[in-house]
Amino acid sequence: MRNESVTLSSLDALLYPRSVAVLGASQNPNKLGYIQVKALLDGGFAGEIYPINPKAEDIAGLTCYPSLADVPGPIDLAIFCVSAEQVQSSLHDCANKNVKGAIIFASGYSETGEEGARQQAMMAEIAKKNGIRLIGPNCVGLVNTLNGLVGTFSPAVMSYPLKDERSVGYVSQSGAFGVLTYMAAAQHGLSFNYFITVGNEVDTEFADFVEYMIHDPKTKVISGYLEGARDPDRLRKLAEEALDCNKPIVVMKTGRSSAGSRAAASHTGSLAGSDQLYDAFFKQTGIVRANDYEEIISFSKLFLSGKLPAGRNTVIITSSGGRGINEADRCEANGLQIIPLSEETKARIKESIPPFASTSNPIDLTAAASVTNPELFIAPMKALLEDPEVDNIIFTEFPMNWGSDHPLLQEFIQLCKESDKFVLVATFPLQGMSIPKGAAELEKNGIPVITGDLNPIGSLAKLVAYSEKYRKKKLASHQEEQRRSGGSVESKQILQNLLKPGKTLSEFEAGQVLAQFGIPTARKALAVTVEEAIIQANQIGYPVVLKIDSNQILHKTEANGIRLNIQSDEEVKKAYADILQSAKMYKPDAVINGVTVHEMLPKGTEVIVGVSNDPVFGPVIMFGLGGIFVETFKDISFRLAPLTRQGAMEMIEELKARAILKGVRGQAPADQEAIIDVLLHVSDLMMDAEGLIEELDINPIIVYENGLKAADALIVSSSEVLEKTEVGG
């Protein structure tokens, strides 16, 4: 079993070493070995620095040693500024010196092909055998701005001064893009505490540092760049843990396009997986998906304000009508609601602004506010802060000349501090004219100031969604969130008996499986003679449906193997004979189990539930409205098993046509509680099947005002997984 405390503490050798050795240190200022030594010095690393070079006596004023063995004291971290050919021997030297951590910059490993992968595996074996934690290879290293550890050959990370607030960690599967994000963040006033590039992840990986930062009290936000998750199940558990302690994980996940996905796979050897499934994974776990690095920066700055938005209702205050409309459009596009203000609130605002200004939302103070009357920016605040319908207030401009000690700025800050409203200043990005003088004072007091080029509106919408997810998680009981009833021993035995390698279950067999897991199905019986079919039709009650039952005929409509609305014994006789004849013509060699007799279900709202076994994520549950909605509009949602009740509710809410479930044009609403139950039972089924089911399709499910019934189902066994299970006993 994984020892969490040991694993986390072992990363201290990488992030908090007391001493660092630079292998391949050089006296040449243009060489990697010199740049690295100088970076440690310039970063102010307080520990011991040991340059290793057999031909030099000192480098950058530091005593140089011929080898690791010659260093008089212990070494926690070794930074490899050597070629790939020297890495293995250097690792052995580290093992002999009892070095606990290593950063390996060299490339030419798994990203290049089979031989590189073999060399990488040998490197991993040496490190594991000797208890050395590795970052890389094929990385640009790491930076810890809290202790001055600059373990990277990229001097660009030192280009910008550090802010006092350093509580956002960043881990990247791309070195160069990670450096660019670090610089962009610093340029916009956001200093990372940890900056880590994991490269080929031969030992430490993306999730290791996410876990470290979850347990690190100095980190408030965990951010990163992800091409593919090595262990989605582990990342899921970490995301849930982070959500529990209100520590958001905000990730830029690449590979949305097919071209991007292919590039990600060739870049790091990671399995990118379906982007649609990553979207579902992030929504389910509360991971915030950033569209680009700008949203990592802006989301982090918004979260560091110390407030979570209470809802989506948003008011815009502007001094430009056009800008206000533009930002209103942006808000609505991102799911924020630009609400009409109450007459009472508008009346209060009107008392303190000029008659030519607008009290509608957006509130247009006109150019008078920005030119001659900056105090107008405060005027609407008292009314808005007391309006219970308002959650967020966005300023598209702000007085540029209010310094930190300006009395009006202090009044504005005091108003915001006394309220639970989320207040944001989102200025237009003009060089030299974007940031008000009082920006630092505003941010220090929990009022973020973000220029429009960082997409603050989109990030605010993501913060609102994160806040909703966090609050729902807190409200949900532990029993509900961990709901996992599963099937009985008998149910599991039925699965084992029916799910033979590569077998496709007939509809009748699939119905047996669904019934065992509490999924309501149409009443049905299998008839092997026409006489049995007549008896069963009378027991079920007319009208009935007759269907061919065969494991080799999956598309019964194509085979002309269905007869609907059978009303009498005579019609059963004719339908029975017609179905058998059609089936034999469609597939002469098919094994016919018989004909199933179903109750004829009345009309209702059709929905579909399906499951596929994804190679990255495992069982993925799909839900959508049936008919044209799933086939034409692809109006579907996804979640990963196991599914919680909250997750099932979110699947329904994500559908564009969800209003149909609530009843339209005189139709009765569909029983959404029954749908939730089916989704949860399907999740239970897939977890009990433990990889034995490759595909499950329940289509359609007819939903009524009270209850529902599955009309048809398909289950395909997984030959590979099942065979492995059988071999393993």
Side-chain angles (χ1 to χ4, degrees), residues 348-359 363-365 376 379-380:
R348 291 194 60 194
I349 294 172
K350 193 171 184 179
E351 293 173 0
S352 52
I353 64 173
F356 49 82
S358 170
T359 59
I363 298 169
D364 183 8
L365 302 175
L376 291 176

Side-chain angles (χ1 to χ4, degrees), residues 402-541:
W402 286 0
S404 60
D405 57 350
H406 197 289
L408 288 176
L409 181 73
Q410 292 300 324
E411 181 184 351
F412 179 82
I413 289 172
Q414 192 58 35
L415 285 170
C416 294
K417 288 175 76 171
E418 292 172 356
S419 170
D420 62 352
K421 312 295 186 193
F422 194 94
V423 181
L424 163 66
V425 177
T427 60
F428 197 85
L430 292 175
Q431 189 171 4
M433 299 174 60
S434 296
I435 307 299
K437 284 183 180 179
E441 185 73 9
L442 289 169
E443 293 192 329
K444 187 174 74 174
N445 287 279
I447 305 162
V449 179
I450 304 176
T451 54
D453 56 324
L454 289 179
N455 191 17
I457 303 300
S459 294
L460 176 60
K462 291 179 188 295
L463 184 64
V464 169
Y466 170 82
S467 177
E468 290 172 347
K469 185 75 175 179
Y470 172 68
R471 290 192 169 103
K472 286 174 183 176
K473 185 86 159 46
K474 297 295 283 186
L475 287 173
S477 70
H478 180 75
Q479 184 178 7
E480 280 184 324
E481 282 301 301
Q482 300 299 320
R483 182 199 181 279
R484 177 68 188 91
S485 62
S488 64
V489 174
E490 179 188 2
S491 300
K492 293 182 181 182
Q493 188 60 52
I494 288 176
L495 287 176
Q496 291 289 336
N497 292 338
L498 289 175
L499 298 174
K500 300 304 180 185
K503 179 182 178 182
T504 299
L505 272 61
S506 71
E507 182 187 346
F508 185 73
E509 292 169 331
Q512 288 180 294
V513 172
L514 299 186
Q516 284 295 325
F517 281 82
I519 299 169
T521 60
R523 285 181 298 151
K524 68 186 71 171
L526 180 64
V528 295
T529 66
V530 67
E531 290 78 17
E532 284 184 6
I534 292 172
I535 293 170
Q536 290 158 0
N538 281 276
Q539 288 177 345
I540 291 172

Side-chain angles (χ1 to χ4, degrees), residues 334-345:
N334 282 280
L336 299 176
Q337 297 163 353
I338 303 300
I339 58 168
L341 297 176
S342 68
E343 291 303 319
E344 180 184 356
T345 297

Side-chain angles (χ1 to χ4, degrees), residues 587-713:
K587 196 171 181 64
D589 59 342
V591 176
I592 306 300
N593 302 323
V595 173
T596 51
V597 183
H598 298 240
E599 67 173 311
M600 181 79 180
L601 295 175
K603 287 185 178 181
T605 303
E606 292 188 10
V607 301
I608 178 173
V609 173
V611 184
S612 61
N613 235 331
D614 184 79
V616 175
F617 293 106
V620 178
I621 301 171
M622 180 271 287
F623 170 72
L625 294 181
I628 63 169
F629 294 102
V630 67
E631 294 173 5
T632 306
F633 300 114
K634 303 294 188 292
D635 189 13
I636 51 180
S637 61
F638 293 94
R639 286 296 185 275
L640 313 181
L643 188 64
T644 64
R645 178 179 177 78
Q646 183 60 45
M649 292 169 63
E650 289 171 358
M651 292 183 78
I652 296 171
E653 284 301 311
E654 282 176 20
L655 297 186
K656 299 180 182 68
R658 60 187 176 276
I660 292 174
L661 295 174
K662 298 176 182 178
V664 292
R665 295 187 178 181
Q667 290 186 341
D671 189 341
Q672 294 190 43
E673 286 299 319
I675 296 174
I676 290 169
D677 282 343
V678 166
L679 290 168
L680 293 174
H681 287 315
V682 167
S683 175
D684 290 341
L685 165 58
M686 294 305 297
M687 297 309 293
D688 278 347
E690 296 178 337
L692 304 184
I693 294 176
E694 181 65 28
E695 181 183 349
L696 182 150
D697 188 35
I698 313 175
N699 182 29
I701 300 172
I702 313 298
V703 190
Y704 305 105
E705 188 172 5
N706 294 296
L708 53 73
K709 284 190 178 181
D712 202 348

